[in-house]
Amino acid sequence: MVLNTFERIRALPMAYQTVMALYLCQRMVPNYELFHHVTGFGDPKPLQGALNACWDWAWQGKAVKVNFARWQEKVDDVTPSEHGHDMLGVYPAMDACTAISTLLQGLMDQNSADLVSVAKVSQASVAKFLELTEGAEMDAQERRKLLREHELAQYEIEVQQAILNYLETVAEHEAQPSQTLVRQVRDMIADEGVSNIGVSMAEE
């Protein structure tokens, strides 16, 4: 039996589910950064600050104190609303905040379902972006075909499966993610160079 992406994430140890969710959140941050750059709304720093704290926690665990609830408040404070922003970019920016807030909630509650939800948010974000851009004038059948066959939709699933392949292999041999693993995963995101909807990552 072939498991689907979400079932495979569920089957991972929670520590590796965390790395997977972090990877997907980090890929969505450029969508927020672009929105911020265009509109001047909000601030990407709390998003990246929350992720940096979680990346450290992912391999150090209880050795580092992370106030997940406080970070969640900071992310919520800079989350845009579709009201007052008449532009498509608000949706991927909102989705980036939603993904990070969901990750933080999952770590706060030690709830694996929230970590799986991050993958769903990322996939849904790509689908919504395609619906609002190329799919805007299509009928329902054409739109379904677009969401199934568009390179961004396929790429999102391929990326999720590729990181899963990697984490499943490591998890077989190492009970906990190491600092080296976390660094490698972060390097993979930088090497990829684009967000889940194809926005280029800002040069550090």
Side-chain angles (χ1 to χ4, degrees):
M1 187 178 79
V2 179
L3 296 178
N4 71 24
T5 304
F6 305 132
E7 289 166 339
R8 287 174 65 193
I9 300 171
R10 268 185 218 107
L12 278 174
M14 188 149 175
Y16 286 94
Q17 291 178 353
T18 302
V19 174
M20 170 92 186
L22 271 164
Y23 172 88
L24 296 173
C25 286
Q26 190 72 63
R27 284 177 71 239
M28 296 171 80
V29 170
N31 303 337
Y32 184 95
E33 288 172 342
L34 178 64
F35 173 75
H36 168 71
H37 180 72
V38 171
T39 63
F41 175 88
D43 182 0
K45 288 194 196 74
L47 278 67
Q48 193 54 60
L51 291 179
N52 288 344
C54 292
W55 281 118
D56 287 342
W57 186 85
W59 67 274
Q60 294 180 80
K62 293 187 172 66
V64 289
K65 285 268 184 285
V66 179
N67 187 338
F68 299 119
R70 183 74 192 99
W71 278 115
Q72 196 178 42
E73 283 171 19
K74 289 182 178 184
V75 171
D76 288 347
D77 286 345
V78 297
T79 300
S81 147
E82 59 205 279
H83 308 295
H85 293 290
D86 187 23
M87 61 176 294
L88 290 174
V90 71
Y91 295 105
M94 285 163 58
D95 292 338
C97 296
T98 299
I100 294 170
S101 185
T102 304
L103 162 74
L104 291 163
Q105 192 66 47
L107 295 180
M108 217 176 339
D109 300 340
Q110 285 295 289
N111 180 6
S112 158
D114 284 328
L115 301 179
V116 178
S117 289
V118 171
K120 295 178 182 177
V121 171
S122 187
Q123 284 191 23
S125 184
V126 174
K128 188 173 206 172
F129 177 73
L130 291 174
E131 280 178 2
L132 293 171
T133 51
E134 293 175 44
E137 304 298 320
M138 292 180 174
D139 65 31
Q141 194 173 352
E142 287 176 319
R143 198 177 293 135
R144 275 197 296 275
K145 186 172 188 285
L146 173 81
L147 297 184
R148 206 170 44 244
E149 297 177 5
H150 193 283
E151 60 183 355
L152 273 178
Q154 291 188 340
Y155 183 60
E156 173 66 15
I157 290 169
E158 284 165 15
V159 162
Q160 290 197 11
Q161 291 179 344
I163 185 74
L164 265 170
N165 292 343
Y166 177 56
L167 293 176
E168 284 167 347
T169 304
V170 177
E172 281 177 18
H173 306 288
E174 297 177 29
Q176 288 293 321
S178 63
Q179 184 179 14
T180 306
L181 170 86
V182 165
R183 195 176 293 134
Q184 284 170 339
V185 171
R186 296 189 75 167
D187 285 346
M188 284 157 69
I189 302 164
D191 290 346
E192 201 183 323
V194 290
S195 78
N196 61 339
I197 59 167
V199 173
S200 284
M201 304 214 167
E203 294 299 321
E204 291 297 324

